Amino acid sequence: MPAEHPWEAERTRLERAYARRDAAGVDAVTWSGMRPEAHWLEFALQRFLFSSLARQGWTSQTAAHCRLLEVGCGTGRVLRWFYEAGFRLLWGCEVLRWRVEGAARTTPVATIMQAEMGSLPFPDDSFDCVVQVVAFSSCLDEGLRRQAAREMLRVVRAQGCILWCDVKPRKRESEYLHGLG
């Protein structure tokens, strides 16, 4: 029997971990509208993402014509923020099928596809901006994270940007999240 491809093994691990997480209601509790810290976290993430672009000279006028890819788009929440900020050319890649379906419902104006972040289905220099929010800390294999980072560099245009927002190392890791040093 042939050995499992590393990305296949990672996808299987993520499917199991996120199924347990979803069954436990982790996202429903974490992102509950009744938790003020959930609103603060969303605001902090939005502030980081959009102030980073503004410091590079991006405006709402340029945003409308920029091609943006979110790697590991999950439920589509971050893509929706970009749409609300004026971005109109949006793509998202997610490895987990049911999250692809959720992202398509959350942000129907974006093109959402199931794909591994280590093998992005786009030509070189396809995007003005490539974003990842907590996708890399969800991948526990350092070699696979390096491969995914190379893919992000490959698909972003030379004058484009990569927005990288992830978690700091934690004392206790979990089965679906691993802090990056």
Side-chain angles (χ1 to χ4, degrees):
M1 185 165 161
E4 191 174 36
H5 186 277
W7 280 107
E8 183 67 23
E10 183 64 12
R11 184 184 54 75
T12 300
R13 184 196 63 77
L14 282 169
E15 284 175 344
R16 290 180 182 147
Y18 275 85
R20 285 189 295 275
R21 174 185 165 128
D22 291 348
V26 171
D27 281 344
V29 171
T30 302
W31 297 106
S32 167
M34 296 302 292
R35 294 188 64 210
E37 59 271 28
H39 295 287
W40 180 87
L41 180 57
E42 281 197 354
F43 172 76
L45 284 170
Q46 289 176 12
R47 183 173 183 220
F48 165 76
L49 294 168
F50 298 122
S51 65
S52 296
L53 289 174
R55 280 193 304 275
Q56 298 299 314
W58 291 52
T59 66
S60 56
Q61 290 79 24
T62 57
H65 304 288
C66 292
R67 295 171 50 92
L68 182 135
L69 168 66
E70 184 183 5
V71 174
C73 68
T75 61
R77 170 180 281 142
V78 173
L79 282 171
R80 187 177 188 141
W81 296 344
F82 279 101
Y83 179 77
E84 292 169 353
F87 287 79
R88 295 297 177 259
L89 306 172
L90 300 169
W91 284 261
C93 287
E94 172 59 45
V95 70
L96 302 177
R97 181 189 44 74
W98 71 87
R99 291 172 68 89
V100 169
E101 294 163 359
R105 285 190 301 276
T106 300
T107 313
V109 297
T111 301
I112 310 293
M113 58 189 64
Q114 186 172 8
E116 297 163 347
M117 62 184 184
S119 182
L120 297 173
F122 305 103
D124 296 356
D125 306 316
S126 294
F127 296 97
D128 300 294
C129 183
V130 177
V131 179
Q132 81 84 22
V133 177
V134 199
F136 275 65
S137 58
S138 295
C139 178
L140 302 186
D141 185 292
E142 183 177 344
L144 297 179
R145 288 194 304 260
R146 288 179 187 276
Q147 181 182 354
R150 285 190 298 271
E151 278 293 280
M152 291 173 67
L153 286 168
R154 181 184 67 76
V155 300
V156 72
R157 292 184 177 141
Q159 299 303 311
C161 70
I162 293 176
L163 293 178
W164 189 293
C165 186
D166 228 306
V167 296
K168 293 181 180 178
R170 299 169 0 148
K171 290 181 183 173
R172 184 181 63 79
E173 304 298 340
S174 71
E175 65 181 314
Y176 54 82
L177 193 66
H178 180 79
L180 302 175

